Amino acid sequence: MIDEKRLPITEHFTEMRQRFIRSIFGLVVGVVIGMFVADKLVLLLERPAGDLAGNIIATEMLETFSTYFKVAMTAGFIIAMPWIIYQMFAFLTPALTAKEKRFLFLFFPFIVLMFLAGVAFAYFVALPPAIHFLFTFTIGDVTVMPRISNYVDIVLRMLVIIGLVFELPIILMALSAVGLVTSKWLASKRKIWFVLAFIISAFITPTFDPINQSIVAAPLIILYELSIWLTKIVKKRKPRVPAIA
């Protein structure tokens, strides 16, 4: 039996507005926190470059200022992400069954953990070789001295995008739970995903060399295999619907 709370359309819009305002408030709080730690975060973002970080420069008056706020806003988004996702779930739960609600909130922590796992992988595994390649690949007598804004853009892009890509198993599990995909169907698309993994990694990584692209593509392939296994578990635990006479 569906545990559904039916609301008039005006109350749905009111609820949506309240959840949106709360999400924005959470984002503002996250950005404020990010502003207090942005300077330290820039130092952390420079670490994947190692000793080469001394070559990073600023060429414009406002460049360090704009980079500071860019880092603060990105940090604020990451800090506020669990709160924003919770507000989305809270808005959707009245239309879900009791079992669907338990399933949703059971996997809520894993959504956050998988994103953080992706960020950690990008920071400790994918970024150092990519940054080193970009710093050391030169032509003639050119010395690579990237602008801080350019460097931070590349690093933040990789951290956020790879963090989001690591949500793949959670997304496919959710699609399996509602019957849109099956483990058998996913298994039949292995070869296609293998190619897509390298295409996606080519967009994510700032370099064009196959080594750095393989570093990103490998976990994508592993995550897909993990998704196939997890969708099998979801299918096994899915309750049977009694036939209607």
Side-chain angles (χ1 to χ4, degrees), residues 3-241:
D3 179 18
E4 182 179 0
K5 182 173 70 174
R6 299 185 179 277
L7 298 174
I9 188 66
T10 54
E11 292 189 26
H12 277 296
F13 280 115
T14 301
E15 176 75 8
M16 183 187 299
R17 183 180 60 188
Q18 291 176 347
R19 297 294 177 185
F20 179 76
I21 292 173
R22 291 173 185 173
S23 298
I24 295 298
F25 177 76
L27 181 60
V28 170
V29 172
V31 171
V32 171
I33 296 173
M35 290 175 66
F36 283 100
V37 298
D39 188 52
K40 294 180 180 179
L41 290 176
V42 171
L43 292 176
L44 286 176
L45 295 177
E46 290 177 349
R47 283 189 180 180
D51 296 336
L52 297 171
N55 290 359
I56 302 173
I57 62 173
T59 61
E60 298 177 5
M61 293 285 289
L62 296 176
E63 189 168 1
T64 54
F65 185 76
S66 61
T67 301
Y68 168 84
F69 274 99
K70 184 178 296 182
V71 172
M73 292 185 67
T74 305
F77 169 76
I78 294 175
I79 293 170
M81 185 185 67
W83 173 253
I84 295 173
I85 295 175
Y86 171 78
Q87 294 302 321
M88 293 172 58
F89 284 178
F91 176 73
L92 296 173
T93 49
L96 303 177
T97 65
K99 291 182 179 180
E100 287 171 339
K101 290 178 183 178
R102 287 196 296 269
F103 177 84
L104 196 62
F105 284 101
L106 175 66
F107 284 95
F108 173 75
F110 293 99
I111 294 175
V112 178
L113 288 175
M114 289 302 293
F115 178 82
L116 295 178
V119 170
F121 173 83
Y123 185 82
F124 292 106
V125 180
L127 270 173
I131 295 300
H132 184 267
F133 177 87
L134 292 174
F135 268 97
T136 56
F137 185 83
T138 60
I139 53 175
D141 295 327
V142 176
T143 299
V144 178
M145 301 183 71
R147 295 163 53 188
I148 182 62
S149 58
N150 177 249
Y151 175 84
V152 167
D153 282 345
I154 291 174
V155 173
L156 289 180
R157 185 186 69 183
M158 285 192 67
L159 291 176
V160 174
I161 294 180
I162 294 180
L164 293 175
V165 168
F166 265 58
E167 301 287 356
L168 179 67
I170 306 297
I171 294 172
L172 292 179
M173 281 187 68
L175 294 177
S176 176
V178 297
L180 293 179
V181 298
T182 63
S183 58
K184 184 177 180 180
W185 183 85
L186 292 174
S188 68
K189 306 300 179 182
R190 275 194 177 100
K191 293 181 180 179
I192 297 176
W193 179 254
F194 185 85
V195 176
L196 283 176
F198 280 91
I199 294 175
I200 294 171
S201 67
F203 281 101
I204 294 175
T205 55
T207 67
F208 297 98
D209 66 297
I211 295 176
N212 283 295
Q213 289 184 12
S214 298
I215 291 174
V216 176
L220 297 184
I221 296 171
I222 294 172
L223 287 171
Y224 190 80
E225 293 298 322
L226 176 63
S227 302
I228 295 174
W229 178 70
L230 291 174
T231 51
K232 288 181 181 180
I233 296 176
V234 172
K235 183 178 180 181
K236 288 179 180 179
R237 293 185 178 183
K238 189 174 181 181
R240 293 183 177 180
V241 179

